C-alpha cells in the first residue's frame, strides 16, 4: 500500500500511456503532488501566490506499507 502525504492541494497521475520501445506502456505510474495545473481555467481550484519574503515550503512524503 502507498500513502502519500503532502501540503500541495492536488496530485498529478501519470500512467506512461505514451511510452514507446524500449519502454512499455503502463509499466510505471507516477504520483506527483503539485498545485492545480488547470487553475487559470477553474477558479474553484486552490490558488498559489508566492512572494519573495515568504519562501515556498513544501512537504511530500511517500510511505510504503504491507498489508
Amino acid at each position: 500500500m502507498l500513502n502519500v502525504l503532502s501540503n500541495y492541494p492536488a496530485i498529478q497521475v501519470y500512467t506512461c500511456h505514451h511510452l514507446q520501445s524500449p519502454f512499455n506502456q503502463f509499466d510505471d505510474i507516477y504520483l506527483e503532488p503539485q498545485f492545480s495545473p488547470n487553475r487559470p481555467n477553474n477558479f474553484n481550484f486552490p490558488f498559489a501566490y508566492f512572494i519573495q519574503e515568504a519562501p515556498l515550503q513544501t512537504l511530500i512524503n511517500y510511505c510504503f506499507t504491507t498489508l
Side-chain angles (χ1 to χ4, degrees), residues 11-44:
I11 192 162
Q12 183 80 14
V13 178
Y14 177 65
T15 60
C16 306
H17 174 71
H18 298 289
L19 290 180
Q20 297 178 0
S21 183
F23 305 102
N24 297 315
Q25 291 182 340
F26 307 113
D27 273 358
D28 296 314
I29 185 169
Y30 297 90
L31 302 174
E32 303 171 354
Q34 59 181 284
F35 293 104
S36 302
N38 197 28
R39 170 56 173 95
N41 300 314
N42 189 331
F43 293 104
N44 293 321

PDB file of all heavy atoms in Angstrom, residues 11-44:
ATOM      1  N   ILE A  11      -2.840  16.378  -6.917  1.00  0.00           N
ATOM      2  CA  ILE A  11      -1.864  15.362  -7.305  1.00  0.00           C
ATOM      3  C   ILE A  11      -2.052  15.045  -8.786  1.00  0.00           C
ATOM      4  O   ILE A  11      -3.180  14.934  -9.272  1.00  0.00           O
ATOM      5  CB  ILE A  11      -1.983  14.093  -6.433  1.00  0.00           C
ATOM      6  CG1 ILE A  11      -0.784  13.177  -6.665  1.00  0.00           C
ATOM      7  CG2 ILE A  11      -3.282  13.372  -6.684  1.00  0.00           C
ATOM      8  CD1 ILE A  11      -0.601  12.157  -5.570  1.00  0.00           C
ATOM      9  N   GLN A  12      -0.949  14.958  -9.492  1.00  0.00           N
ATOM     10  CA  GLN A  12      -0.957  14.617 -10.916  1.00  0.00           C
ATOM     11  C   GLN A  12      -0.621  13.137 -11.037  1.00  0.00           C
ATOM     12  O   GLN A  12       0.347  12.663 -10.432  1.00  0.00           O
ATOM     13  CB  GLN A  12       0.088  15.463 -11.656  1.00  0.00           C
ATOM     14  CG  GLN A  12       0.143  15.256 -13.136  1.00  0.00           C
ATOM     15  CD  GLN A  12      -0.955  16.019 -13.857  1.00  0.00           C
ATOM     16  OE1 GLN A  12      -1.597  16.886 -13.307  1.00  0.00           O
ATOM     17  NE2 GLN A  12      -1.165  15.694 -15.096  1.00  0.00           N
ATOM     18  N   VAL A  13      -1.411  12.401 -11.796  1.00  0.00           N
ATOM     19  CA  VAL A  13      -1.175  10.979 -12.007  1.00  0.00           C
ATOM     20  C   VAL A  13      -0.757  10.777 -13.458  1.00  0.00           C
ATOM     21  O   VAL A  13      -1.470  11.181 -14.382  1.00  0.00           O
ATOM     22  CB  VAL A  13      -2.433  10.139 -11.699  1.00  0.00           C
ATOM     23  CG1 VAL A  13      -2.172   8.666 -11.971  1.00  0.00           C
ATOM     24  CG2 VAL A  13      -2.868  10.363 -10.266  1.00  0.00           C
ATOM     25  N   TYR A  14       0.413  10.161 -13.650  1.00  0.00           N
ATOM     26  CA  TYR A  14       0.930   9.889 -14.989  1.00  0.00           C
ATOM     27  C   TYR A  14       1.092   8.388 -15.130  1.00  0.00           C
ATOM     28  O   TYR A  14       1.753   7.749 -14.311  1.00  0.00           O
ATOM     29  CB  TYR A  14       2.263  10.606 -15.200  1.00  0.00           C
ATOM     30  CG  TYR A  14       2.904  10.332 -16.537  1.00  0.00           C
ATOM     31  CD1 TYR A  14       2.302  10.739 -17.714  1.00  0.00           C
ATOM     32  CD2 TYR A  14       4.108   9.641 -16.614  1.00  0.00           C
ATOM     33  CE1 TYR A  14       2.879  10.477 -18.946  1.00  0.00           C
ATOM     34  CE2 TYR A  14       4.698   9.383 -17.846  1.00  0.00           C
ATOM     35  CZ  TYR A  14       4.086   9.796 -19.000  1.00  0.00           C
ATOM     36  OH  TYR A  14       4.651   9.534 -20.212  1.00  0.00           O
ATOM     37  N   THR A  15       0.483   7.797 -16.168  1.00  0.00           N
ATOM     38  CA  THR A  15       0.468   6.336 -16.317  1.00  0.00           C
ATOM     39  C   THR A  15       1.392   5.802 -17.402  1.00  0.00           C
ATOM     40  O   THR A  15       1.355   4.616 -17.696  1.00  0.00           O
ATOM     41  CB  THR A  15      -0.956   5.857 -16.625  1.00  0.00           C
ATOM     42  OG1 THR A  15      -1.397   6.468 -17.839  1.00  0.00           O
ATOM     43  CG2 THR A  15      -1.904   6.182 -15.482  1.00  0.00           C
ATOM     44  N   CYS A  16       2.183   6.645 -18.019  1.00  0.00           N
ATOM     45  CA  CYS A  16       3.140   6.217 -19.047  1.00  0.00           C
ATOM     46  C   CYS A  16       2.452   5.643 -20.280  1.00  0.00           C
ATOM     47  O   CYS A  16       2.994   4.787 -20.974  1.00  0.00           O
ATOM     48  CB  CYS A  16       4.141   5.213 -18.485  1.00  0.00           C
ATOM     49  SG  CYS A  16       5.001   5.792 -17.030  1.00  0.00           S
ATOM     50  N   HIS A  17       1.273   6.105 -20.564  1.00  0.00           N
ATOM     51  CA  HIS A  17       0.499   5.601 -21.697  1.00  0.00           C
ATOM     52  C   HIS A  17       1.202   5.836 -23.043  1.00  0.00           C
ATOM     53  O   HIS A  17       1.066   5.038 -23.964  1.00  0.00           O
ATOM     54  CB  HIS A  17      -0.883   6.246 -21.708  1.00  0.00           C
ATOM     55  CG  HIS A  17      -1.707   5.915 -22.906  1.00  0.00           C
ATOM     56  ND1 HIS A  17      -2.245   4.664 -23.096  1.00  0.00           N
ATOM     57  CD2 HIS A  17      -2.067   6.651 -23.978  1.00  0.00           C
ATOM     58  CE1 HIS A  17      -2.912   4.649 -24.247  1.00  0.00           C
ATOM     59  NE2 HIS A  17      -2.832   5.840 -24.791  1.00  0.00           N
ATOM     60  N   HIS A  18       1.960   6.898 -23.163  1.00  0.00           N
ATOM     61  CA  HIS A  18       2.551   7.252 -24.456  1.00  0.00           C
ATOM     62  C   HIS A  18       3.993   6.782 -24.623  1.00  0.00           C
ATOM     63  O   HIS A  18       4.663   7.193 -25.568  1.00  0.00           O
ATOM     64  CB  HIS A  18       2.483   8.767 -24.662  1.00  0.00           C
ATOM     65  CG  HIS A  18       1.073   9.269 -24.698  1.00  0.00           C
ATOM     66  ND1 HIS A  18       0.227   9.029 -25.746  1.00  0.00           N
ATOM     67  CD2 HIS A  18       0.348   9.959 -23.792  1.00  0.00           C
ATOM     68  CE1 HIS A  18      -0.949   9.569 -25.511  1.00  0.00           C
ATOM     69  NE2 HIS A  18      -0.905  10.143 -24.316  1.00  0.00           N
ATOM     70  N   LEU A  19       4.484   5.916 -23.752  1.00  0.00           N
ATOM     71  CA  LEU A  19       5.855   5.421 -23.896  1.00  0.00           C
ATOM     72  C   LEU A  19       5.970   4.499 -25.101  1.00  0.00           C
ATOM     73  O   LEU A  19       5.024   3.811 -25.476  1.00  0.00           O
ATOM     74  CB  LEU A  19       6.292   4.675 -22.638  1.00  0.00           C
ATOM     75  CG  LEU A  19       6.526   5.519 -21.396  1.00  0.00           C
ATOM     76  CD1 LEU A  19       6.957   4.629 -20.241  1.00  0.00           C
ATOM     77  CD2 LEU A  19       7.564   6.590 -21.650  1.00  0.00           C
ATOM     78  N   GLN A  20       7.158   4.506 -25.689  1.00  0.00           N
ATOM     79  CA  GLN A  20       7.438   3.637 -26.831  1.00  0.00           C
ATOM     80  C   GLN A  20       8.691   2.825 -26.548  1.00  0.00           C
ATOM     81  O   GLN A  20       9.395   3.076 -25.577  1.00  0.00           O
ATOM     82  CB  GLN A  20       7.619   4.476 -28.091  1.00  0.00           C
ATOM     83  CG  GLN A  20       6.367   5.251 -28.468  1.00  0.00           C
ATOM     84  CD  GLN A  20       6.583   6.125 -29.690  1.00  0.00           C
ATOM     85  OE1 GLN A  20       7.654   6.159 -30.271  1.00  0.00           O
ATOM     86  NE2 GLN A  20       5.544   6.858 -30.074  1.00  0.00           N
ATOM     87  N   SER A  21       8.971   1.858 -27.389  1.00  0.00           N
ATOM     88  CA  SER A  21      10.123   0.979 -27.249  1.00  0.00           C
ATOM     89  C   SER A  21      11.385   1.809 -27.039  1.00  0.00           C
ATOM     90  O   SER A  21      11.539   2.849 -27.677  1.00  0.00           O
ATOM     91  CB  SER A  21      10.259   0.119 -28.499  1.00  0.00           C
ATOM     92  OG  SER A  21      11.310  -0.780 -28.350  1.00  0.00           O
ATOM     93  N   PRO A  22      12.267   1.428 -26.175  1.00  0.00           N
ATOM     94  CA  PRO A  22      12.399   0.164 -25.434  1.00  0.00           C
ATOM     95  C   PRO A  22      11.571   0.089 -24.160  1.00  0.00           C
ATOM     96  O   PRO A  22      11.672  -0.872 -23.412  1.00  0.00           O
ATOM     97  CB  PRO A  22      13.876   0.112 -25.094  1.00  0.00           C
ATOM     98  CG  PRO A  22      14.242   1.533 -24.858  1.00  0.00           C
ATOM     99  CD  PRO A  22      13.413   2.309 -25.877  1.00  0.00           C
ATOM    100  N   PHE A  23      10.747   1.090 -23.887  1.00  0.00           N
ATOM    101  CA  PHE A  23       9.897   1.078 -22.689  1.00  0.00           C
ATOM    102  C   PHE A  23       8.544   0.475 -23.029  1.00  0.00           C
ATOM    103  O   PHE A  23       8.166   0.360 -24.187  1.00  0.00           O
ATOM    104  CB  PHE A  23       9.723   2.497 -22.153  1.00  0.00           C
ATOM    105  CG  PHE A  23      11.021   3.186 -21.884  1.00  0.00           C
ATOM    106  CD1 PHE A  23      11.510   4.132 -22.773  1.00  0.00           C
ATOM    107  CD2 PHE A  23      11.775   2.871 -20.771  1.00  0.00           C
ATOM    108  CE1 PHE A  23      12.721   4.763 -22.539  1.00  0.00           C
ATOM    109  CE2 PHE A  23      12.983   3.494 -20.529  1.00  0.00           C
ATOM    110  CZ  PHE A  23      13.459   4.445 -21.413  1.00  0.00           C
ATOM    111  N   ASN A  24       7.807   0.083 -22.013  1.00  0.00           N
ATOM    112  CA  ASN A  24       6.481  -0.500 -22.206  1.00  0.00           C
ATOM    113  C   ASN A  24       5.428   0.406 -21.593  1.00  0.00           C
ATOM    114  O   ASN A  24       5.617   0.940 -20.495  1.00  0.00           O
ATOM    115  CB  ASN A  24       6.396  -1.880 -21.549  1.00  0.00           C
ATOM    116  CG  ASN A  24       7.361  -2.855 -22.179  1.00  0.00           C
ATOM    117  OD1 ASN A  24       7.477  -2.932 -23.398  1.00  0.00           O
ATOM    118  ND2 ASN A  24       8.071  -3.604 -21.350  1.00  0.00           N
ATOM    119  N   GLN A  25       4.321   0.539 -22.289  1.00  0.00           N
ATOM    120  CA  GLN A  25       3.216   1.330 -21.761  1.00  0.00           C
ATOM    121  C   GLN A  25       2.719   0.730 -20.444  1.00  0.00           C
ATOM    122  O   GLN A  25       2.683  -0.488 -20.288  1.00  0.00           O
ATOM    123  CB  GLN A  25       2.058   1.376 -22.749  1.00  0.00           C
ATOM    124  CG  GLN A  25       2.346   2.173 -23.991  1.00  0.00           C
ATOM    125  CD  GLN A  25       1.123   2.219 -24.905  1.00  0.00           C
ATOM    126  OE1 GLN A  25       0.228   1.406 -24.808  1.00  0.00           O
ATOM    127  NE2 GLN A  25       1.107   3.198 -25.787  1.00  0.00           N
ATOM    128  N   PHE A  26       2.358   1.603 -19.527  1.00  0.00           N
ATOM    129  CA  PHE A  26       1.753   1.232 -18.255  1.00  0.00           C
ATOM    130  C   PHE A  26       2.674   0.420 -17.342  1.00  0.00           C
ATOM    131  O   PHE A  26       2.212  -0.207 -16.400  1.00  0.00           O
ATOM    132  CB  PHE A  26       0.431   0.478 -18.475  1.00  0.00           C
ATOM    133  CG  PHE A  26      -0.525   1.217 -19.349  1.00  0.00           C
ATOM    134  CD1 PHE A  26      -0.859   0.743 -20.602  1.00  0.00           C
ATOM    135  CD2 PHE A  26      -1.080   2.420 -18.932  1.00  0.00           C
ATOM    136  CE1 PHE A  26      -1.735   1.427 -21.415  1.00  0.00           C
ATOM    137  CE2 PHE A  26      -1.958   3.110 -19.744  1.00  0.00           C
ATOM    138  CZ  PHE A  26      -2.283   2.612 -20.984  1.00  0.00           C
ATOM    139  N   ASP A  27       3.984   0.393 -17.622  1.00  0.00           N
ATOM    140  CA  ASP A  27       4.912  -0.293 -16.716  1.00  0.00           C
ATOM    141  C   ASP A  27       5.086   0.480 -15.414  1.00  0.00           C
ATOM    142  O   ASP A  27       5.458  -0.098 -14.402  1.00  0.00           O
ATOM    143  CB  ASP A  27       6.277  -0.487 -17.363  1.00  0.00           C
ATOM    144  CG  ASP A  27       6.362  -1.767 -18.177  1.00  0.00           C
ATOM    145  OD1 ASP A  27       5.374  -2.519 -18.201  1.00  0.00           O
ATOM    146  OD2 ASP A  27       7.420  -2.008 -18.789  1.00  0.00           O
ATOM    147  N   ASP A  28       4.873   1.765 -15.445  1.00  0.00           N
ATOM    148  CA  ASP A  28       5.065   2.614 -14.276  1.00  0.00           C
ATOM    149  C   ASP A  28       3.847   3.497 -14.070  1.00  0.00           C
ATOM    150  O   ASP A  28       3.049   3.692 -14.969  1.00  0.00           O
ATOM    151  CB  ASP A  28       6.286   3.524 -14.450  1.00  0.00           C
ATOM    152  CG  ASP A  28       7.577   2.743 -14.546  1.00  0.00           C
ATOM    153  OD1 ASP A  28       7.774   1.825 -13.733  1.00  0.00           O
ATOM    154  OD2 ASP A  28       8.384   3.061 -15.437  1.00  0.00           O
ATOM    155  N   ILE A  29       3.776   4.038 -12.877  1.00  0.00           N
ATOM    156  CA  ILE A  29       2.794   5.069 -12.577  1.00  0.00           C
ATOM    157  C   ILE A  29       3.491   6.100 -11.697  1.00  0.00           C
ATOM    158  O   ILE A  29       4.282   5.746 -10.822  1.00  0.00           O
ATOM    159  CB  ILE A  29       1.532   4.507 -11.892  1.00  0.00           C
ATOM    160  CG1 ILE A  29       0.486   5.597 -11.719  1.00  0.00           C
ATOM    161  CG2 ILE A  29       1.863   3.846 -10.580  1.00  0.00           C
ATOM    162  CD1 ILE A  29      -0.871   5.084 -11.300  1.00  0.00           C
ATOM    163  N   TYR A  30       3.254   7.357 -11.986  1.00  0.00           N
ATOM    164  CA  TYR A  30       3.876   8.442 -11.233  1.00  0.00           C
ATOM    165  C   TYR A  30       2.789   9.236 -10.522  1.00  0.00           C
ATOM    166  O   TYR A  30       1.774   9.581 -11.121  1.00  0.00           O
ATOM    167  CB  TYR A  30       4.655   9.379 -12.166  1.00  0.00           C
ATOM    168  CG  TYR A  30       5.796   8.698 -12.864  1.00  0.00           C
ATOM    169  CD1 TYR A  30       5.610   8.071 -14.097  1.00  0.00           C
ATOM    170  CD2 TYR A  30       7.051   8.666 -12.287  1.00  0.00           C
ATOM    171  CE1 TYR A  30       6.658   7.436 -14.735  1.00  0.00           C
ATOM    172  CE2 TYR A  30       8.115   8.035 -12.926  1.00  0.00           C
ATOM    173  CZ  TYR A  30       7.912   7.414 -14.149  1.00  0.00           C
ATOM    174  OH  TYR A  30       8.941   6.784 -14.781  1.00  0.00           O
ATOM    175  N   LEU A  31       3.017   9.515  -9.251  1.00  0.00           N
ATOM    176  CA  LEU A  31       2.119  10.350  -8.460  1.00  0.00           C
ATOM    177  C   LEU A  31       2.909  11.587  -8.052  1.00  0.00           C
ATOM    178  O   LEU A  31       3.871  11.486  -7.298  1.00  0.00           O
ATOM    179  CB  LEU A  31       1.629   9.593  -7.224  1.00  0.00           C
ATOM    180  CG  LEU A  31       0.897   8.286  -7.507  1.00  0.00           C
ATOM    181  CD1 LEU A  31       0.602   7.553  -6.207  1.00  0.00           C
ATOM    182  CD2 LEU A  31      -0.375   8.556  -8.276  1.00  0.00           C
ATOM    183  N   GLU A  32       2.503  12.726  -8.572  1.00  0.00           N
ATOM    184  CA  GLU A  32       3.261  13.955  -8.370  1.00  0.00           C
ATOM    185  C   GLU A  32       2.386  15.006  -7.682  1.00  0.00           C
ATOM    186  O   GLU A  32       1.578  15.664  -8.336  1.00  0.00           O
ATOM    187  CB  GLU A  32       3.747  14.495  -9.712  1.00  0.00           C
ATOM    188  CG  GLU A  32       4.588  13.515 -10.486  1.00  0.00           C
ATOM    189  CD  GLU A  32       4.884  13.976 -11.905  1.00  0.00           C
ATOM    190  OE1 GLU A  32       4.339  15.022 -12.326  1.00  0.00           O
ATOM    191  OE2 GLU A  32       5.656  13.301 -12.582  1.00  0.00           O
ATOM    192  N   PRO A  33       2.533  15.185  -6.374  1.00  0.00           N
ATOM    193  CA  PRO A  33       1.808  16.279  -5.714  1.00  0.00           C
ATOM    194  C   PRO A  33       2.259  17.624  -6.286  1.00  0.00           C
ATOM    195  O   PRO A  33       3.448  17.831  -6.552  1.00  0.00           O
ATOM    196  CB  PRO A  33       2.212  16.142  -4.241  1.00  0.00           C
ATOM    197  CG  PRO A  33       2.626  14.712  -4.106  1.00  0.00           C
ATOM    198  CD  PRO A  33       3.256  14.361  -5.424  1.00  0.00           C
ATOM    199  N   GLN A  34       1.315  18.511  -6.493  1.00  0.00           N
ATOM    200  CA  GLN A  34       1.626  19.813  -7.078  1.00  0.00           C
ATOM    201  C   GLN A  34       0.434  20.746  -6.926  1.00  0.00           C
ATOM    202  O   GLN A  34      -0.590  20.373  -6.372  1.00  0.00           O
ATOM    203  CB  GLN A  34       1.977  19.657  -8.555  1.00  0.00           C
ATOM    204  CG  GLN A  34       0.871  19.025  -9.386  1.00  0.00           C
ATOM    205  CD  GLN A  34       1.277  18.867 -10.825  1.00  0.00           C
ATOM    206  OE1 GLN A  34       1.294  19.829 -11.560  1.00  0.00           O
ATOM    207  NE2 GLN A  34       1.604  17.644 -11.214  1.00  0.00           N
ATOM    208  N   PHE A  35       0.595  21.957  -7.410  1.00  0.00           N
ATOM    209  CA  PHE A  35      -0.528  22.884  -7.448  1.00  0.00           C
ATOM    210  C   PHE A  35      -1.429  22.508  -8.611  1.00  0.00           C
ATOM    211  O   PHE A  35      -1.024  21.816  -9.533  1.00  0.00           O
ATOM    212  CB  PHE A  35      -0.027  24.321  -7.578  1.00  0.00           C
ATOM    213  CG  PHE A  35       0.712  24.777  -6.361  1.00  0.00           C
ATOM    214  CD1 PHE A  35       2.089  24.860  -6.361  1.00  0.00           C
ATOM    215  CD2 PHE A  35       0.025  25.095  -5.202  1.00  0.00           C
ATOM    216  CE1 PHE A  35       2.777  25.254  -5.225  1.00  0.00           C
ATOM    217  CE2 PHE A  35       0.699  25.496  -4.068  1.00  0.00           C
ATOM    218  CZ  PHE A  35       2.082  25.572  -4.080  1.00  0.00           C
ATOM    219  N   SER A  36      -2.656  22.937  -8.564  1.00  0.00           N
ATOM    220  CA  SER A  36      -3.632  22.574  -9.584  1.00  0.00           C
ATOM    221  C   SER A  36      -3.212  23.113 -10.950  1.00  0.00           C
ATOM    222  O   SER A  36      -3.172  24.330 -11.147  1.00  0.00           O
ATOM    223  CB  SER A  36      -5.003  23.134  -9.208  1.00  0.00           C
ATOM    224  OG  SER A  36      -5.380  22.638  -7.947  1.00  0.00           O
ATOM    225  N   PRO A  37      -2.895  22.235 -11.898  1.00  0.00           N
ATOM    226  CA  PRO A  37      -2.392  22.702 -13.189  1.00  0.00           C
ATOM    227  C   PRO A  37      -3.427  23.451 -14.017  1.00  0.00           C
ATOM    228  O   PRO A  37      -3.072  24.267 -14.853  1.00  0.00           O
ATOM    229  CB  PRO A  37      -1.943  21.427 -13.898  1.00  0.00           C
ATOM    230  CG  PRO A  37      -2.666  20.329 -13.212  1.00  0.00           C
ATOM    231  CD  PRO A  37      -2.923  20.785 -11.810  1.00  0.00           C
ATOM    232  N   ASN A  38      -4.708  23.225 -13.768  1.00  0.00           N
ATOM    233  CA  ASN A  38      -5.758  23.880 -14.552  1.00  0.00           C
ATOM    234  C   ASN A  38      -6.369  25.068 -13.805  1.00  0.00           C
ATOM    235  O   ASN A  38      -7.463  25.513 -14.118  1.00  0.00           O
ATOM    236  CB  ASN A  38      -6.848  22.871 -14.930  1.00  0.00           C
ATOM    237  CG  ASN A  38      -7.708  23.367 -16.058  1.00  0.00           C
ATOM    238  OD1 ASN A  38      -7.272  24.147 -16.900  1.00  0.00           O
ATOM    239  ND2 ASN A  38      -8.945  22.927 -16.086  1.00  0.00           N
ATOM    240  N   ARG A  39      -5.663  25.599 -12.821  1.00  0.00           N
ATOM    241  CA  ARG A  39      -6.182  26.689 -12.001  1.00  0.00           C
ATOM    242  C   ARG A  39      -6.589  27.916 -12.813  1.00  0.00           C
ATOM    243  O   ARG A  39      -7.617  28.513 -12.532  1.00  0.00           O
ATOM    244  CB  ARG A  39      -5.161  27.066 -10.919  1.00  0.00           C
ATOM    245  CG  ARG A  39      -5.469  28.339 -10.147  1.00  0.00           C
ATOM    246  CD  ARG A  39      -6.856  28.272  -9.504  1.00  0.00           C
ATOM    247  NE  ARG A  39      -7.099  29.405  -8.645  1.00  0.00           N
ATOM    248  CZ  ARG A  39      -7.729  30.514  -9.006  1.00  0.00           C
ATOM    249  NH1 ARG A  39      -8.160  30.658 -10.224  1.00  0.00           N
ATOM    250  NH2 ARG A  39      -7.930  31.478  -8.150  1.00  0.00           N
ATOM    251  N   PRO A  40      -5.853  28.326 -13.844  1.00  0.00           N
ATOM    252  CA  PRO A  40      -6.279  29.513 -14.593  1.00  0.00           C
ATOM    253  C   PRO A  40      -7.652  29.358 -15.245  1.00  0.00           C
ATOM    254  O   PRO A  40      -8.319  30.341 -15.525  1.00  0.00           O
ATOM    255  CB  PRO A  40      -5.192  29.672 -15.660  1.00  0.00           C
ATOM    256  CG  PRO A  40      -3.999  29.014 -15.068  1.00  0.00           C
ATOM    257  CD  PRO A  40      -4.541  27.849 -14.275  1.00  0.00           C
ATOM    258  N   ASN A  41      -8.088  28.129 -15.490  1.00  0.00           N
ATOM    259  CA  ASN A  41      -9.367  27.886 -16.147  1.00  0.00           C
ATOM    260  C   ASN A  41     -10.482  27.464 -15.192  1.00  0.00           C
ATOM    261  O   ASN A  41     -11.625  27.344 -15.601  1.00  0.00           O
ATOM    262  CB  ASN A  41      -9.205  26.812 -17.220  1.00  0.00           C
ATOM    263  CG  ASN A  41      -8.212  27.231 -18.268  1.00  0.00           C
ATOM    264  OD1 ASN A  41      -8.253  28.351 -18.753  1.00  0.00           O
ATOM    265  ND2 ASN A  41      -7.289  26.353 -18.594  1.00  0.00           N
ATOM    266  N   ASN A  42     -10.131  27.185 -13.938  1.00  0.00           N
ATOM    267  CA  ASN A  42     -11.130  26.736 -12.975  1.00  0.00           C
ATOM    268  C   ASN A  42     -10.897  27.454 -11.649  1.00  0.00           C
ATOM    269  O   ASN A  42     -10.016  27.092 -10.889  1.00  0.00           O
ATOM    270  CB  ASN A  42     -11.047  25.229 -12.789  1.00  0.00           C
ATOM    271  CG  ASN A  42     -12.195  24.688 -11.983  1.00  0.00           C
ATOM    272  OD1 ASN A  42     -12.753  25.375 -11.137  1.00  0.00           O
ATOM    273  ND2 ASN A  42     -12.545  23.446 -12.239  1.00  0.00           N
ATOM    274  N   PHE A  43     -11.695  28.452 -11.369  1.00  0.00           N
ATOM    275  CA  PHE A  43     -11.485  29.280 -10.187  1.00  0.00           C
ATOM    276  C   PHE A  43     -11.879  28.587  -8.885  1.00  0.00           C
ATOM    277  O   PHE A  43     -11.639  29.122  -7.808  1.00  0.00           O
ATOM    278  CB  PHE A  43     -12.220  30.608 -10.343  1.00  0.00           C
ATOM    279  CG  PHE A  43     -11.629  31.448 -11.438  1.00  0.00           C
ATOM    280  CD1 PHE A  43     -12.258  31.569 -12.656  1.00  0.00           C
ATOM    281  CD2 PHE A  43     -10.409  32.072 -11.257  1.00  0.00           C
ATOM    282  CE1 PHE A  43     -11.703  32.322 -13.678  1.00  0.00           C
ATOM    283  CE2 PHE A  43      -9.836  32.830 -12.265  1.00  0.00           C
ATOM    284  CZ  PHE A  43     -10.485  32.954 -13.476  1.00  0.00           C
ATOM    285  N   ASN A  44     -12.437  27.389  -8.956  1.00  0.00           N
ATOM    286  CA  ASN A  44     -12.724  26.625  -7.750  1.00  0.00           C
ATOM    287  C   ASN A  44     -11.500  25.881  -7.235  1.00  0.00           C
ATOM    288  O   ASN A  44     -11.514  25.373  -6.123  1.00  0.00           O
ATOM    289  CB  ASN A  44     -13.859  25.627  -7.999  1.00  0.00           C
ATOM    290  CG  ASN A  44     -15.183  26.324  -8.246  1.00  0.00           C
ATOM    291  OD1 ASN A  44     -15.482  27.330  -7.604  1.00  0.00           O
ATOM    292  ND2 ASN A  44     -15.955  25.813  -9.179  1.00  0.00           N
TER     293      ASN A  44
END
